[in-house]
Amino acid sequence: MSLRSNNIRILLAAALFTSVVFAPPWLAAVFAFALAARWRAWEVVAAGIFMDFLWLPTSVTFVSVESIPFATLISILTVVCLEPLRRQLLLGPGIL
Amino acid sequence: MKSQFSNRARSRSLLVQALVVALLVSVAFFGFDTLTGGLVRSYARTTASLAWTASAGIISATDGNGFFATRRLLARENAALSERLALYEESMARFRALEDENEALRAIAQLAETEGDGLAARVLSSLGSSPYGTFVIGAGERDGVAEGSLVLTPGGFLLGTVSDADSHTASVRALFSPGSLVDLVAGNISFSAEGRGSGNARAEIPRDAKVAVGYVVSAPAYFGRPAGLIGTIESASSSATQTLFLRLPLNLDTLRFVYVTPIK
């Protein structure tokens, strides 16, 4: 992975975590999508977990709708479901 | 060709392995948090509250110094201002910031006179950052805030309830958080409203119900406290119902203090 690509990934990840704390959710979603579209970006899942710890009203128990960590689940789905797109756009070890 | 196929198979196998690891890590984090009574969430909120406090300070300072003023204004100011005047303006900016804060606290103090026991708490996070309609306030269990405490605007409108409290901060779930259903009363009719976030809600009531724009709606489940105003009413002649659009009578983006009162 080139140094430039690495730097962009780090910048996007920093923007993602910052937007989780300060910005509306759609902006965090944009950064998450941008990261997951290019890389197999597990930091997106970490950001989802962080978002749930920060904003979820209750503990995660799955007994009610408000206790389901949607951000974590969506972030995992985003990283996994964009795999075919990454595979079409990128070949070789770049997708790892 | 064979090599490309084996690379893809290897990549897919790695993805599945990583997915399993991600799920296990998520379950471990959330399980640990649940077992410890919200320890991880408490740390996450404490860490974020440091960032929110720092950013509020930076915004206040830059705003007071006129950092984001127009270029023309800044050029004029640069030509005219002496060092003494700059110092004076800095003092004035500080004074204005304190005056704003004082005004917000005065409104809270008026509310405290009518509400009795309760406390004013600073809003730490933005009210629009959470996908779940929650926000964080700078008061926690040490200040007497507990789960279920009511959170009011300076005008006495019900903003939400405390969903989780740790020692110094608390998470508040807004009454009109996206997707939430709230039972409300307006005039002589009770109805269920669906939260839309940012202090807005939507409800459908019978067409013949006597309501008007500006009516205050109250929440019977919260001791009949006012929960918002009817902002707009939409009805079609072919429909048996009319749609109410409810809103809080203040700009949530500028809300700096809230009043927290125990359930009574």
Side-chain angles (χ1 to χ4, degrees), chain A residues 21-25 40 42 49 51-60 66 69-72 76 80 83 87 91 95, chain B residues 8 11 14-15 18-19 23 26 29-30 33-34 40-41 44 48 51-52 55 125 128-132 134 163-164 173:
Chain A
V21 179
F22 293 104
R40 193 176 282 174
W42 297 105
I49 293 173
M51 184 180 257
D52 280 330
F53 277 129
L54 195 58
W55 298 119
L56 201 69
T58 60
S59 295
V60 174
E66 66 179 26
F70 284 109
T72 303
I76 291 174
V80 173
E83 180 72 7
R87 202 180 292 278
L91 291 172
I95 64 167
Chain B
R8 286 196 170 184
S11 172
L14 273 172
L15 178 70
L19 173 65
L23 283 171
S26 308
F29 267 117
F30 289 122
D33 178 66
T34 307
V40 184
R41 275 180 300 139
W52 287 320
S55 70
S125 71
S129 296
S130 167
Y132 302 107
T134 52
S163 58
D164 185 40
R173 186 163 196 233

Side-chain angles (χ1 to χ4, degrees), chain A residues 8-21:
Chain A
I8 292 171
R9 184 172 177 174
I10 290 167
L11 277 175
L12 278 173
L16 170 63
F17 278 91
T18 308
S19 59
V20 165
V21 179

Side-chain angles (χ1 to χ4, degrees), chain B residues 48 175-176 204:
Chain B
L175 189 68
F176 293 157
E204 295 219 334

Side-chain angles (χ1 to χ4, degrees), chain B:
Chain B
M1 185 74 178
K2 194 176 174 182
S3 158
Q4 196 179 358
F5 179 76
S6 95
N7 268 345
R8 286 196 170 184
R10 187 175 148 265
S11 172
R12 195 170 297 148
S13 156
L14 273 172
L15 178 70
V16 172
Q17 284 172 23
L19 173 65
V20 171
V21 170
L23 283 171
L24 286 176
V25 168
S26 308
V27 169
F29 267 117
F30 289 122
F32 179 72
D33 178 66
T34 307
L35 289 174
T36 54
L39 187 70
V40 184
R41 275 180 300 139
S42 170
Y43 277 120
R45 274 206 301 268
T46 307
T47 310
S49 69
L50 294 174
W52 287 320
T53 309
S55 70
I58 291 165
I59 288 167
S60 175
T62 49
D63 197 33
N65 288 334
F67 187 77
F68 290 113
T70 61
R71 185 186 293 179
R72 195 174 138 200
L73 189 67
L74 280 174
R76 205 188 307 154
E77 273 182 353
N78 284 341
L81 290 178
S82 65
E83 193 178 340
R84 191 176 167 189
L85 191 56
L87 280 170
Y88 169 72
E89 287 213 333
E90 193 185 344
S91 307
M92 277 300 290
R94 204 179 301 134
F95 171 73
R96 266 190 229 114
L98 286 171
E99 201 175 44
D100 286 349
E101 192 170 298
N102 198 20
E103 202 173 311
L105 285 170
R106 196 180 300 131
I108 291 284
Q110 280 171 0
L111 185 64
E113 279 176 20
T114 55
E115 287 292 336
D117 54 337
L119 76 154
R122 187 182 282 276
V123 177
L124 293 179
S125 71
S126 158
L127 276 83
S129 296
S130 167
Y132 302 107
T134 52
F135 60 94
V136 179
I137 56 171
E141 282 172 342
R142 288 193 183 177
D143 309 294
V145 175
E147 190 180 331
S149 296
L150 303 182
V151 179
L152 310 176
T153 66
F157 279 78
L158 182 64
L159 193 59
T161 54
V162 172
S163 58
D164 185 40
D166 52 55
S167 56
H168 294 294
T169 59
S171 173
V172 179
R173 186 163 196 233
L175 189 68
F176 293 157
S177 59
S180 64
L181 286 175
V182 195
D183 290 329
L184 298 170
V185 172
N188 60 350
I189 187 158
S190 64
F191 55 90
S192 194
E194 187 193 353
R196 311 286 293 265
S198 302
N200 299 301
R202 180 180 175 278
E204 295 219 334
I205 62 168
R207 195 176 155 74
D208 58 350
K210 301 239 180 311
V211 290
V213 171
Y215 265 37
V216 173
V217 295
S218 56
Y222 300 99
F223 317 100
R225 288 177 184 280
L229 299 174
I230 298 176
T232 317
I233 301 174
E234 277 182 9
S235 66
S237 55
S238 57
S239 173
T241 59
Q242 53 186 336
T243 308
L244 304 183
F245 293 94
L246 313 170
R247 63 175 178 83
L248 278 167
L250 81 165
N251 183 1
L252 290 180
D253 292 332
T254 58
L255 189 66
R256 297 166 68 189
F257 292 97
V258 290
Y259 191 76
V260 187
T261 178
I263 295 178
K264 56 184 179 183

Side-chain angles (χ1 to χ4, degrees), chain A residues 41-83:
Chain A
W42 297 105
E43 58 269 31
V44 170
V45 179
I49 293 173
F50 180 54
M51 184 180 257
D52 280 330
F53 277 129
L54 195 58
W55 298 119
L56 201 69
T58 60
S59 295
V60 174
T61 55
F62 288 94
V63 292
S64 64
V65 175
E66 66 179 26
S67 70
I68 298 173
F70 284 109
T72 303
L73 297 176
I74 290 170
S75 64
I76 291 174
L77 282 177
T78 306
V79 173
V80 173
C81 292
L82 286 179
E83 180 72 7

